[in-house]
Amino acid sequence: QVQLQESGPGLVKPSQTLSLTCTVSGGSITTYYYYWSWIRQSPGKGLEWIGRIGYRGSTYYSPSLQSRTSISRDTSKNQFTLQLSSVTPEDTGVYYCARSTGPKIATRLEEYDYWGQGTQVTVSS
């Protein structure tokens, strides 16, 4: 059974960099054809896809967040990390990591087969 667990600070000050880690157990992040995404839900808004890293380490970001986003991985720890720079209160929300299969960007919830429980991040001074 694959499990994903998000971790990181729950409070980030404006203009700083938000950094979250997703630890994966029960499966390797380098396994063929799996892609590992970061998704968030802000208050009063729907789910927003942030970006992903693939089994080979390739990355792809949402165009609206691309200039502030970086996703990397540590294969020795089976983790992948999100960094979102220059945060504002609009970046407040629950951040999830999730897995999908295949190179097509997954746009529907059912295309993600495993999710972390989510972690609340608040941007405030």
Side-chain angles (χ1 to χ4, degrees), residues 34-36 51-61 71-73 103:
Y34 288 136
Y35 291 79
W36 307 87
R52 74 176 194 187
I53 187 164
Y55 64 100
R56 290 177 174 171
S58 60
T59 54
Y60 187 75
Y61 306 123
I71 298 176
S72 60
R73 67 181 187 173

Side-chain angles (χ1 to χ4, degrees), residues 29-108:
I29 62 173
T30 63
T31 298
Y32 177 73
Y33 236 45
Y34 288 136
Y35 291 79
W36 307 87
S37 290
W38 285 100
I39 299 164
R40 70 182 182 183
Q41 184 159 26
S42 301
K45 300 181 182 178
L47 290 172
E48 180 180 20
W49 182 78
I50 301 169
R52 74 176 194 187
I53 187 164
Y55 64 100
R56 290 177 174 171
S58 60
T59 54
Y60 187 75
Y61 306 123
S62 167
S64 64
L65 295 168
Q66 183 175 5
S67 63
R68 300 194 290 128
T69 305
S70 177
I71 298 176
S72 60
R73 67 181 187 173
D74 185 336
T75 57
S76 68
K77 296 180 180 179
N78 216 34
Q79 297 174 333
F80 60 105
T81 297
L82 167 70
Q83 290 193 308
L84 184 65
S85 63
S86 304
V87 297
T88 72
E90 291 190 350
D91 293 308
T92 293
V94 179
Y95 285 71
Y96 300 91
C97 53
R99 188 185 83 170
S100 62
T101 303
K104 174 184 173 293
I105 300 295
T107 58
R108 297 173 296 157

